[in-house]
Amino acid sequence: MKKHARVVVIGGGAIGVSVTYHLAKYGWQDVALVEKHELTSGSTWMAAGNCSFFHGNYYCTQVNMKSIELYQQLEKETGQSVGWHTTGSIRTADNPGRMEELGYIYSMNRCLGLDVNWVTSEDMAKMHPLINVDGFIGGLYWPDDGDVDPNGITMAMSIGAKKFGAEINTHTRVTGIEQTDSGEWLVHTDKGDITCEFVVNAAGLWAPQVAKMVGLEIPSIAGEHTHILFETIHAVEERDGYLPLVRDPDRSIYIRQEMDSLILGLYESKVKQWHPEGVPWDYAQNELQPDIDHIADFIENGIYRFPIMGETGFKHVTDGPITYTPNGDPLVGPAYPLRNFYHACGYSFGITQAGGIGHYLAGWIMEGEPEIDLWAVDSRRYGASVNWAYNHEKIEDTYPRLYAIICPNDWRDAARPNRTSPIYEYQKQAGAVFGDYYGWECPNYFTQTEADKRENPGWTRNNAFPYVADECRHVMNHVGLLDLTRFAKTKVSGPGAETWLNTLTCQKVPVREGRIALSPMLDSNGNFKSDMTITKTKEGEYFCVTASVGKRHDQHWLMQNLPGDGSVEMMDMTYQLGCLILAGPKSRELLQAVCYGDLSDEAFPFGTSREIYVGRVKCRINRMTYVGELGYEIFHPIEQQISVYKTLTGAGDAFDLRMFGMYAMESMRLEKGYLAWKNEMNVHHTPLETPVAWTVKWDKDFIGKRGLEKQKTAGIPRRLVCMTIVAEDTDPWGYNPIFSGDEIVGMTSSGGYGHRVEQSIALGYVPPEFATPGARLAVEVLGKKRPAEVVAMPLYDPENKRMKA
Ligand SMILES: Cc1cc2nc3c(=O)[nH]c(=O)nc-3n(C[C@H](O)[C@H](O)[C@H](O)COP(=O)(O)OP(=O)(O)OC[C@H]3O[C@@H](n4cnc5c(N)ncnc54)[C@H](O)[C@@H]3O)c2cc1C
């Protein structure tokens, strides 16, 4: 075994081997994989091998696509059989909510150019003569889905990895990991030490223990999963070709052909966690004892759909452990707060994604940026409050719902409340219906009507709609209060702070004390990294605010770029400061009623910041707004939040102060065309494509400038536009294809209803020739094309008169 490697990959399952293969293939040959037993001896060897394009997330779908592309060529490349079968797959629907979900998936898949088709019950019965189609109202069919031999792909990738120069060490266990003073990693194994620049934790079932070796806690726990292989079924044996895989999510089952029979897999109603406190190191290639009683109802579900199973005996029941995270998606990418330590674990569908994630993660490690936006799987999407105990509780809800209808507003109760603002109980009394954002309870909307205190999840307008409309109108005409305590807040200070921040953002860092600057951070290609607002609080001190969900992501980036000379200090202020927003034409009068000093526009203009007492609490108030009305962001010591809140609400009656929630904020920001992180601002777009191109200051140097210069020279390939949609009762949500005639010319990044302008709105990127107001396009929403018109941006108060009033 090598004593030094550029990268050490821990774990020889499908994921670790794929990362190793891709690193070596793309030119980093100096990779050592370390596996404690034989390759595939964790979850991989037991997997059913189903590979589908289906995923609820646009970018994860691309990972699946990459895997399938690779599996189809691996055998030719390596000589190792991988058992790939193109079988096609069907996903069924037996209720309108499921049809909506399929509609969303259909439209999103079309943005990716995937071959996906609607099928009727009759079509399904023709494609799979053994299926009972009773109750189906439709389905989707992907002709190119298939299955693969998990052992075969892992062995093939290992052959490929070795051919490209990587070293694969089996029967070698990592026992500890240290970082040396020089920043190198020292990986201890039972066969000796390896020093390296990068470590990848692909330890599957043991990934939490490996993470612990470097002081990290990751939310991944093993749970049992069962699939059943039936005895030979003559109707299958006699057929030529392969039957399509069928997923009946409403019965939480999948069925596919295996040789001359069928496999039934199921996600039962109660997860059996397996060694939740840590899988024993000596576990390898062992099946678990199946518990047929535990899954009996779901076997019945299988027999209902495929009656022939009721007449056929079991040939083999496979019960094996799989890792589960709070939302079922894996944990990939840079591990916060470490340098050069990556995760590639937490996989419950790791065969489907192994090929693809190996490709994308290798690129991420080598280039420092992912080729596609992998935020959906980024381990930093979870904060510190999402710990082992949280996951232990949460997966009880997630596992039985792995096939639940995907929709963006299905706020589950499990493991909540987790993080709350001090005014949480007051918000509850005011009728808040909360969502969970990075673990924070945040009101989505307010109602006193008991029946509407639970939102009806779905893709079409729902019972929240009238309350959100009311809140938007109220903010437009009076004044509203919103709690954004969850903002990520960082104090940056020191003699080098200004120069350093200026290298991190394309914007000019404010020079005058009390000035605020919208300051996008870019990656080296000029694409959006983060959306930051910088306030100069005093000489050499800056208050930086970014999106709450991006806290770890953004602070990680700042930490990694911190100069080594001690001239800049960073301090996380997120949990020390709360933030309440006042917005609406009466916000100044209200604030003036409870503050000392002059708040007139002359004394406290838009885009400035001051320290002001609100009642008896010293607050930092930024005159900023994300909703396009006169407004203020009131940052205050978190322990004094109730005092600030009571002062504002105490005076609020005279101004008709009411609280509003996240949904109203989202509606209003769409009307203003303000960009949202990970919607409009992601690794696929630069500021030059958007209305915040003005933030790019060409007369200074900053990360991403070369990329922007290149784009400017080559020509801006697309532009962000606002469109109004003829939507009936279903607004776009993002990832909708945008059509000119029959041709897909772009994709929406967000969408919703603008209550102040009373229009359905979408933001999206299209080539410049379609980016002129008046251009007639169409946006496909839940599988149905809707007329759309490009309009001048912003739709609401284009001269910003209200905001700057
Ligand atoms: C019954 C069943 C059916 C499944 N069906 C499917 C399916 O149809 N489709 C699909 O996509 N997925 C399926 N899965 C899930 C899939 O098997 C996993 O998601 C995938 O195998 C995870 O791969 P991995 O490489 O991350 O982890 P693992 O396969 O668990 O590999 C991790 C490896 O790391 C090694 N390791 C751990 N710690 C150390 C250490 N300290 N030092 C050295 N080595 C270490 C382990 O020995 C192990 O070999 C199924 C799983 C099961 C159990």
Side-chain angles (χ1 to χ4, degrees), residues 588 592 595-604 610 612:
R588 180 185 287 126
Q592 187 69 77
C595 283
Y596 302 94
D598 179 6
L599 297 189
S600 67
D601 191 47
E602 297 71 40
F604 191 14
R610 283 171 52 185
I612 298 175

Side-chain angles (χ1 to χ4, degrees), residues 658-733:
R658 278 205 242 155
M659 292 206 243
F660 67 104
M662 293 303 297
Y663 289 176
M665 185 185 83
E666 174 64 10
S667 162
M668 292 187 273
R669 79 100 191 159
L670 281 174
E671 291 168 318
K672 287 299 291 178
Y674 291 150
L675 279 53
W677 188 63
K678 291 297 165 197
N679 291 69
E680 288 72 38
M681 294 176 135
N682 65 24
V683 305
H684 300 281
H685 299 290
T686 77
L688 303 184
E689 301 165 27
T690 75
V692 299
W694 62 270
T695 60
V696 178
K697 301 296 184 287
W698 295 103
D699 60 349
K700 61 164 208 160
D701 214 3
F702 56 87
I703 297 173
K705 187 175 179 185
R706 304 288 159 271
L708 294 187
E709 281 167 348
K710 254 167 86 183
Q711 191 185 50
K712 203 171 155 202
T713 312
I716 312 297
R718 57 194 95 75
R719 300 268 178 199
L720 183 70
V721 293
C722 179
M723 291 163 286
T724 53
I725 317 290
V726 182
E728 297 156 26
D729 67 341
T730 307
D731 303 300
W733 286 90

Side-chain angles (χ1 to χ4, degrees), residues 9-17 34-51 150 169 172-175 201-207 210 213 223-227 247 254 256 267 281 283-284 318-323 344-354:
V9 177
I10 306 170
I15 301 291
V17 175
V34 189
E35 162 55 50
K36 69 181 174 58
H37 195 79
E38 296 288 346
L39 297 182
T40 78
S41 59
S43 296
T44 299
W45 76 284
M46 260 172 295
N50 309 326
C51 290
N169 303 286
T172 308
R173 178 156 83 85
V174 172
T175 52
N201 174 9
L205 299 166
W206 298 267
V210 169
M213 293 176 188
E224 293 183 32
H225 174 62
T226 317
H227 59 76
R247 285 191 182 82
Y254 61 81
R256 79 156 168 84
Y267 293 101
W281 287 113
Y283 169 78
T318 304
D319 185 341
I322 305 188
T323 51
C345 54
Y347 263 104
S348 57
F349 47 93
I351 306 307
T352 309
Q353 291 224 323

Side-chain angles (χ1 to χ4, degrees), residues 154-456:
T154 312
M155 293 309 165
M157 289 189 289
S158 125
I159 292 169
K162 283 193 260 185
K163 197 176 87 192
F164 292 119
E167 184 183 90
I168 307 268
N169 303 286
T170 53
H171 296 280
T172 308
R173 178 156 83 85
V174 172
T175 52
I177 309 168
E178 285 174 64
Q179 198 162 24
T180 65
D181 291 343
S182 68
E184 264 197 333
W185 292 102
L186 181 59
V187 179
H188 303 291
T189 81
D190 54 7
K191 301 267 171 70
D193 295 347
I194 319 179
T195 53
C196 60
E197 210 181 318
F198 295 89
V199 175
V200 179
N201 174 9
L205 299 166
W206 298 267
Q209 283 114 298
V210 169
K212 233 176 235 165
M213 293 176 188
V214 288
L216 302 181
E217 185 171 347
I218 54 167
S220 167
I221 290 178
E224 293 183 32
H225 174 62
T226 317
H227 59 76
I228 301 166
L229 173 65
F230 286 79
E231 297 281 4
T232 299
I233 296 172
H234 295 301
V236 178
E237 190 181 27
E238 283 157 13
R239 282 180 54 89
D240 285 335
Y242 280 94
L243 289 162
L245 178 143
V246 176
R247 285 191 182 82
D248 178 352
D250 299 309
R251 287 175 190 268
S252 209
I253 53 171
Y254 61 81
I255 298 94
R256 79 156 168 84
Q257 180 176 346
E258 173 73 14
M259 314 282 274
D260 52 8
S261 186
L262 296 175
I263 281 182
L264 167 69
L266 42 92
Y267 293 101
E268 65 275 25
S269 43
K270 175 120 186 69
V271 62
K272 284 183 97 180
Q273 297 193 20
W274 191 68
H275 291 289
E277 278 160 48
V279 172
W281 287 113
D282 60 0
Y283 169 78
Q285 277 174 349
N286 254 328
E287 290 193 14
L288 310 180
Q289 186 59 42
D291 180 350
I292 300 295
D293 287 345
H294 182 69
I295 55 173
D297 290 351
F298 294 83
I299 299 175
E300 287 299 324
N301 284 350
I303 293 171
Y304 174 79
R305 275 291 160 231
F306 292 85
I308 193 120
M309 288 179 178
E311 301 156 21
T312 315
F314 296 168
K315 186 169 184 182
H316 186 74
V317 182
T318 304
D319 185 341
I322 305 188
T323 51
Y324 292 100
T325 65
N327 74 345
D329 278 328
L331 306 167
V332 181
Y336 174 89
L338 306 177
R339 187 185 280 273
N340 294 348
F341 192 101
Y342 286 75
H343 292 305
C345 54
Y347 263 104
S348 57
F349 47 93
I351 306 307
T352 309
Q353 291 224 323
I357 209 64
H359 163 84
Y360 288 116
L361 185 60
W364 200 346
I365 295 169
M366 294 167 79
E367 304 292 329
E369 309 292 349
E371 180 188 330
I372 60 169
D373 201 303
L374 289 173
W375 180 239
V377 297
D378 194 319
S379 61
R380 296 168 298 184
R381 71 188 184 276
Y382 294 123
S385 70
V386 176
N387 52 25
W388 173 86
Y390 173 94
N391 195 33
H392 185 51
E393 199 177 324
K394 182 76 178 165
I395 61 172
E396 292 290 325
D397 185 61
T398 306
Y399 178 87
R401 297 176 45 78
L402 285 171
Y403 276 174
I405 294 170
I406 297 163
C407 65
N409 48 11
D410 190 5
W411 306 97
R412 306 290 302 163
D413 291 336
R416 289 173 63 193
N418 196 5
R419 285 185 163 132
T420 53
S421 304
I423 60 164
Y424 172 70
E425 288 299 334
Y426 292 92
Q427 293 175 323
K428 241 171 138 176
Q429 281 162 24
V433 181
F434 293 94
D436 170 355
Y437 298 84
Y438 198 64
W440 288 95
E441 292 296 319
C442 227
N444 281 330
Y445 64 95
F446 289 82
T447 176
Q448 289 297 352
T449 306
E450 218 41 55
D452 293 330
K453 287 202 168 157
R454 183 160 284 280
E455 185 180 357
N456 301 332

Side-chain angles (χ1 to χ4, degrees), residues 21-22 25 66-74 157 355:
Y21 163 79
H22 284 96
K25 184 172 178 174
K66 262 280 174 243
S67 293
I68 292 178
E69 186 188 315
L70 175 75
Y71 300 158
Q72 289 176 333
Q73 73 190 37
L74 256 186
M157 289 189 289

Side-chain angles (χ1 to χ4, degrees), residues 554-573:
D554 296 341
Q555 290 182 339
H556 204 189
W557 177 247
L558 293 175
M559 285 154 75
Q560 296 197 330
N561 283 287
L562 215 53
D565 60 5
S567 63
V568 184
E569 269 181 46
M570 254 181 80
M571 191 195 278
D572 181 12
M573 306 290 286

